[in-house]
Amino acid sequence: VQLQASGGGLVQAGGSLRLSCVVSGSNWDRISIGWFRQSPGREREGVSCISSFRSGDHTFTADHLKGRFTISRDNTRNTVYLQMNSLKPEDTAVYYCAADSDYTLLTSVKGSGNSVRFWGQGTLVTVSS
């Protein structure tokens, strides 16, 4: 499984960005995709994940990001999106998309994702005040 993240950039506080993660390789319909982020000096944290197409595209988003961040999946494009609204300076981080089984992603996204096997390169999001 290969993942290619994009969509980061510089945005003012209150603005929006949409990150994309294009997934290639096999097992698209069987894998969950998640987003993690890491700010300088901080541990990587889970942001959101969406379960496999086979299991019904169920979503999970960290409590403190609910209402601002939304994950979605386009199964025709093998792409997962992270829509980020009302961005705050504390959202500044490198955002990574990752893939694994439903169980691994759902449990890992509540932590730092150390058990997740497949990672894309990060995309930097910078929110200015």
Side-chain angles (χ1 to χ4, degrees), residues 11-121:
V11 63
Q12 288 188 331
S16 298
L17 281 175
R18 188 178 77 162
L19 306 183
S20 299
C21 178
V22 178
V23 182
S24 59
S26 60
N27 299 325
W28 164 255
D29 61 340
R30 302 181 185 182
I31 57 173
S32 284
I33 308 295
W35 288 94
F36 295 78
R37 70 183 185 182
Q38 188 165 23
S39 306
R42 298 188 65 178
E43 188 178 5
R44 186 173 60 203
E45 66 170 341
V47 173
S48 187
C49 72
I50 187 165
S51 66
S52 65
F53 174 69
R54 285 199 174 191
S55 66
D57 286 350
H58 300 291
T59 64
F60 168 87
T61 299
D63 285 343
H64 64 289
L65 300 175
K66 284 181 180 177
R68 297 195 298 121
F69 287 21
T70 304
I71 192 168
S72 62
R73 182 173 181 138
D74 185 341
N75 292 307
T76 66
R77 296 176 182 268
N78 284 21
T79 301
V80 170
Y81 302 101
L82 183 68
Q83 179 67 42
M84 306 185 296
N85 299 326
S86 302
L87 283 162
K88 304 175 181 180
E90 52 263 42
D91 295 319
T92 295
V94 177
Y95 285 72
Y96 300 90
C97 61
D100 213 310
S101 66
D102 286 339
Y103 176 80
T104 298
L105 244 301
L106 183 59
T107 54
S108 297
V109 78
K110 299 174 183 177
S112 61
N114 289 335
S115 298
V116 178
R117 291 176 292 168
F118 305 106
W119 292 87
Q121 91 293 357

